[in-house]
Amino acid sequence: MRLIIILIIVGGIIWWWAYKRPKEAIKSQINSVIAGFDFNNPQSFYSVSEISEIGKEAIPILQEMINSDSISERWAAIISLPGILRDNEDLKDTIIPSLKQRIDDEDDTLKMLVGAQLVSFGEKEGIPVLISCLGSEEITHFGAPPELVKERSLLYLQNYTDFDGKTIQEWQQFWENNKNQFSWNENKEIFEVE
């Protein structure tokens, strides 16, 4: 009986070490990176790449952070999850739905980044998100140089489609006329109208 109890205790310790401890260590590492963000020093945000370098073990933590009240945690998740996906295409069905949770983020910079991340993976749901950001007068945060969200959104839209519209009205009309004919050209990394 003692042997069984000892085996159960040892098994529990091994389980904790193998599963719980690494998750806590990864979470601590991610939190350390986020704690280093400084809005007065835009270069401090470049350290976010350290989170993507953790790899797929960071995904569950980032999936929690993407719904955080903290704008820094949401931003880190929105930037890091696609970085992990680029090295692990088999995780698309796990990561893309997490990003789609933030399509209506209340922060225009984050909303725009979600739209850009989605279109970069051939998800056309990102296009209307970017179009909606064309009406934003907010200035981007997290990085340098700061620019208007609407200007960055326009750049993404023009980069990922073959349309050169300038106004929100032109883009809305373009989307309404063509949303059912969009197809993703993997080689060119662009949406084309069939």
Side-chain angles (χ1 to χ4, degrees):
M1 185 65 158
R2 279 189 196 175
L3 182 60
I4 292 174
I5 292 172
I6 291 170
L7 288 174
I8 290 172
I9 292 170
V10 169
I13 291 170
I14 290 171
W15 174 86
W16 180 84
W17 186 260
Y19 297 100
K20 183 73 172 166
R21 186 164 188 318
K23 182 177 179 185
E24 291 303 317
I26 291 168
K27 189 171 188 172
S28 177
Q29 185 179 354
I30 292 170
N31 287 334
S32 175
V33 171
I34 293 170
F37 294 164
D38 179 359
F39 284 95
N40 294 318
N41 178 11
Q43 292 187 345
S44 69
F45 297 107
Y46 295 138
S47 64
V48 74
S49 64
E50 295 173 24
I51 297 173
S52 295
E53 290 169 6
I54 294 169
K56 52 184 157 184
E57 292 80 16
I59 292 173
I61 296 159
L62 294 171
Q63 287 175 318
E64 291 172 18
M65 287 184 169
I66 206 161
N67 292 310
S68 170
D69 290 336
S70 163
I71 190 170
S72 295
E73 287 185 2
R74 292 197 318 272
W75 178 79
I78 290 166
I79 296 299
S80 300
L81 283 168
I84 294 168
L85 179 54
R86 291 192 202 300
D87 295 330
N88 300 281
E89 283 289 325
D90 58 314
L91 297 175
K92 190 171 184 178
D93 291 339
T94 301
I95 292 176
I96 295 297
S98 297
L99 290 172
K100 287 181 180 179
Q101 292 178 52
R102 298 310 318 173
I103 280 178
D104 293 319
D105 199 288
E106 59 272 8
D107 181 87
D108 285 351
T109 297
L110 298 187
K111 184 177 180 178
M112 179 233 356
L113 290 172
V114 167
Q117 298 288 14
L118 289 173
V119 296
S120 75
F121 286 103
E123 299 290 324
K124 72 178 182 179
E125 293 94 332
I127 294 173
V129 175
L130 290 170
I131 292 171
S132 72
C133 291
L134 293 174
S136 174
E137 294 297 328
E138 284 188 22
I139 295 176
T140 60
H141 32 270
F142 299 104
E147 58 189 317
L148 291 174
V149 168
K150 66 182 179 182
E151 291 172 358
R152 175 55 65 175
S153 298
L154 182 60
L155 184 69
Y156 287 133
L157 284 165
Q158 291 172 340
N159 187 52
Y160 285 108
T161 68
D162 56 3
F163 183 62
D164 194 31
K166 303 282 189 257
T167 68
I168 191 170
Q169 294 80 12
E170 289 173 325
W171 279 99
Q172 287 170 335
Q173 189 65 51
F174 175 71
W175 173 250
E176 285 305 314
N177 291 343
N178 299 294
K179 64 184 173 186
N180 295 324
Q181 287 86 34
F182 273 115
S183 66
W184 178 246
N185 184 321
E186 186 88 26
N187 296 325
K188 294 181 184 177
E189 295 187 340
I190 192 171
F191 284 99
E192 296 175 327
V193 178
E194 297 176 335

